[in-house]
Amino acid sequence: MFDSRHIRTFHEVVRAGSYSAAARALGYTQPAITQQMKALERSVGTPLFVRVGRRMRLTEAGEALERHAGVILDRISAAQQQMSAITGLRSGRVRMCAFPSAGATLVPEALARLAAEHPGIRVELQEAEPPDSMRRVADGECDITLAFTYPGLHEQVPDELVEIPLMEDQLTVLLPAGHPMARRRAVRLAELADERWIAGCLRCRANFLHECAELGFAPDVAFTTDDILVVQSLVAEGLGIAMMPGLVLSFLVHQKVTGRALDPASRRQVSAYVLREHLDIPATALVLDELRTAAGNRVGC
């Protein structure tokens, strides 16, 4: 295995034409240059120089190594510059996975501020619901995942992931604007037992059914869809109502749909999850900071 210092010294010896000239250029003593070249030749397994009179000439192995030496040193220099850029937050790549309502709210706010302050950092976004999104970060398919958990479901988080709590998201009920309950500031889930319902993703659906069971009724689930816009359209047309996360209220697009809080309140925990070793990567840590700020701006909204 080559030592990059020896390659750099070898390259200078070839350029300068002698050990003594290379020593002067690099600020070494001539014996130090000699020792490095002997060590390099031991690594190669054959001499790199022969003396012809007072001059040094490259052997065939030396000529082959010299053809690669410049490329090797250029690659090392480029790698050092890239590492300096990454640790100095001038560049970097972070792969993020987010569930839809976080992707429509927390993520754009966080990434807009990141782009303004650190334009060299590239964030790549993919969409997935938990638990699939947690599996992706555990398997190395992404660096950060945004996911949610419901306290009543006692959901398991992979042991290798670190949870960074961001916010509690209060659940809300989406109603047609003309619904009798729409005149209230908050509604009780038990009062909606006879309604037709639209259920969302598997985890949200499981929590919804659990909360209904706790109140002693089984809801009439007429539609299931992960698409928030489809949910809104169905509610707007009076085809059903839905229990949705509060984050959705910030991008209601139908004027005929209104959201009302649940009484008593029901919440889910929104968190970021990363592998422990990723916490020390500067770009990842910065993205997490921006997500905390974006989540903090929504607390109490």
Side-chain angles (χ1 to χ4, degrees):
M1 185 136 182
F2 295 154
D3 186 319
S4 62
R5 294 172 303 168
H6 296 166
I7 297 295
R8 183 172 286 106
T9 300
F10 168 77
H11 189 61
E12 184 59 33
V13 170
V14 174
R15 189 198 67 80
S18 68
Y19 285 0
S20 57
R24 288 192 297 273
L26 295 174
Y28 293 157
T29 63
Q30 183 171 332
I33 297 291
T34 302
Q35 290 302 316
Q36 287 193 41
M37 292 302 92
K38 286 182 178 180
L40 181 58
E41 288 178 334
R42 285 196 297 270
S43 297
V44 172
T46 187
L48 298 172
F49 300 97
V50 294
R51 285 196 172 275
V52 179
R54 294 185 177 182
R55 299 180 58 190
M56 297 182 64
R57 182 172 63 82
L58 288 169
T59 64
E60 183 179 359
E63 290 175 349
L65 182 58
E66 175 57 15
R67 286 195 293 270
H68 294 286
V71 175
I72 292 171
L73 294 174
D74 287 345
R75 293 281 180 85
I76 291 172
S77 177
Q80 289 173 335
Q81 292 176 18
Q82 187 172 3
M83 293 305 102
S84 295
I86 290 171
T87 56
L89 293 176
R90 296 192 301 277
S91 71
R93 182 183 72 143
V94 179
R95 299 166 301 163
M96 185 189 302
C97 186
F99 57 94
S101 54
T105 53
L106 302 181
V107 172
E109 180 180 341
L111 297 193
R113 191 163 44 247
L114 182 72
E117 298 176 2
H118 300 277
I121 295 178
R122 174 185 174 89
V123 178
E124 298 174 357
L125 180 64
Q126 51 187 277
E127 183 179 291
E129 299 276 5
D132 178 53
S133 59
M134 293 182 178
R135 178 196 58 77
R136 291 190 190 188
V137 75
D139 290 348
E141 296 176 19
C142 60
D143 305 309
I144 299 172
T145 194
L146 295 183
F148 55 86
T149 55
Y150 290 103
L153 297 184
H154 307 292
E155 295 151 320
Q156 295 296 314
V157 174
D159 292 337
E160 61 268 37
L161 299 188
V162 177
E163 179 183 4
I164 297 95
L166 297 177
M167 63 178 291
E168 287 190 336
D169 187 17
Q170 183 167 326
L171 301 183
T172 185
V173 176
L174 295 189
L175 302 165
H179 195 284
M181 296 287 185
R183 294 191 293 269
R184 300 187 184 181
R185 295 185 61 183
V187 298
R188 293 184 176 275
L189 187 58
E191 296 177 301
L192 301 169
D194 295 330
E195 297 281 347
R196 281 194 307 177
W197 288 87
I198 305 155
C201 72
L202 287 174
R203 181 167 285 194
C204 294
R205 194 182 317 159
N207 177 71
F208 170 59
L209 295 175
H210 169 76
E211 292 202 18
C212 292
E214 290 284 295
L215 295 172
F217 74 95
D220 174 15
V221 178
F223 306 97
T224 59
T225 176
D226 294 346
D227 192 319
I228 296 171
L229 292 178
V230 173
V231 173
Q232 292 182 43
S233 297
L234 291 170
V235 173
E237 296 301 326
L239 297 172
I241 65 174
M243 187 162 79
M244 300 293 288
L247 286 173
V248 172
L249 296 180
S250 65
F251 56 94
L252 285 178
V253 297
H254 285 282
Q255 295 181 350
K256 295 189 293 183
V257 175
T258 188
R260 291 294 178 262
L262 286 167
D263 180 22
S266 179
R267 297 179 175 86
R268 65 178 184 175
Q269 175 65 48
V270 176
S271 300
Y273 296 87
V274 297
L275 294 171
R276 186 172 302 278
E277 54 268 30
H278 286 189
L279 292 171
D280 296 326
I281 298 175
T284 301
L286 183 62
V287 172
L288 289 172
D289 285 343
E290 297 294 2
L291 288 169
R292 288 190 192 95
T293 299
N297 290 340
R298 291 184 175 274
V299 173
C301 292

